C-alpha cells in the first residue's frame, strides 16, 4: 500500500528533523563522558523554526534513542531541554563530579577578583 503524498512528505520532514537533532545532540556530547550526561537545549527561535512542539519532542526522543540515550524532554519557559537519563558508570560519574567542582571553584575565584 502506498502512503498518500502528504503523509510521505510529513514522514520525510520528520526523518530530516530527527537526523538534524541527532547531529546536533552528538556534537553537544563531551567525549570524555563517553556518551553519558548528554543534554541539549533548543531555544524559542529553534523551536519555532522546527515546527510543532509535539513533533519536535518526539523527534528529539527518537534522535536520543539513536545515539543510545534514555531521552526525555522538558519544556522550561520557551526552551526545550533534551536530557539523557541513563545512570553513568562510576568512573564517568566521578570525572563529571570533578569537572563540576573545578568549574565551581573557578567561578568562586573569579567572583572574588577585583574588577578593574
Amino acid at each position: 500500500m502506498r502512503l498518500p503524498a502528504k503523509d510521505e512528505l510529513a514522514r520525510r520532514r520528520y526523518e530530516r528533523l530527527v537526523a538534524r537533532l541527532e547531529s546536533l545532540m552528538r556534537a553537544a556530547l563531551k567525549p570524555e563522558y563517553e556518551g553519558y550526561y548528554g543534554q541539549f537545549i533548543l531555544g524559542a527561535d529553534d523551536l519555532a523554526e522546527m515546527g510543532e512542539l509535539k513533533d519536535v519532542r518526539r523527534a528529539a526522543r527518537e534522535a536520543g534513542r539513536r545515539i543510545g540515550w534514555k531521552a526525555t524532554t522538558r519544556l522550561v519557559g520557551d526552551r526545550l531541554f533534551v536530557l539523557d537519563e541513563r545512570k553513568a558508570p562510576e568512573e564517568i560519574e566521578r570525572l563529571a563530579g570533578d569537572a563540576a567542582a573545578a568549574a565551581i571553584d573557578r567561578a568562586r575565584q573569579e567572583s572574588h577578583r577585583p574588577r578593574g
Side-chain angles (χ1 to χ4, degrees):
M1 182 173 108
R2 191 154 156 70
L3 288 174
K6 182 180 169 190
D7 290 348
E8 180 62 22
L9 184 61
R11 187 191 61 76
R12 277 189 276 164
R13 189 178 304 123
Y14 175 76
E15 282 300 318
R16 277 196 307 273
L17 180 57
V18 171
R20 178 177 173 200
L21 288 168
E22 179 181 347
S23 174
L24 292 169
M25 291 159 75
R26 281 184 190 279
L29 288 171
K30 293 183 178 181
E32 64 271 25
Y33 296 159
E34 299 174 17
Y36 289 92
Y37 292 111
Q39 65 176 20
F40 183 69
I41 304 166
L42 290 168
D45 293 343
D46 296 317
L47 287 172
E49 171 199 323
M50 291 181 178
E52 292 287 323
L53 179 61
K54 67 178 176 50
D55 296 333
V56 175
R57 289 179 98 147
R58 194 178 95 204
R61 288 190 301 269
E62 174 66 25
R65 279 191 296 274
R66 290 183 183 185
I67 60 175
W69 291 12
K70 180 181 174 192
T72 188
T73 61
R74 296 213 171 78
L75 189 63
V76 179
D78 58 358
R79 294 180 297 172
L80 182 68
F81 288 73
V82 184
L83 307 166
D84 177 9
E85 293 194 321
R86 293 177 298 159
K87 174 95 171 98
E90 198 172 304
E91 63 275 7
I92 302 293
E93 209 171 275
R94 198 170 26 255
L95 181 65
D98 291 347
I104 290 168
D105 287 344
R106 279 192 307 276
R108 272 203 191 114
Q109 289 170 0
E110 288 174 14
S111 72
H112 289 96
R113 284 193 191 134
R115 302 186 201 266

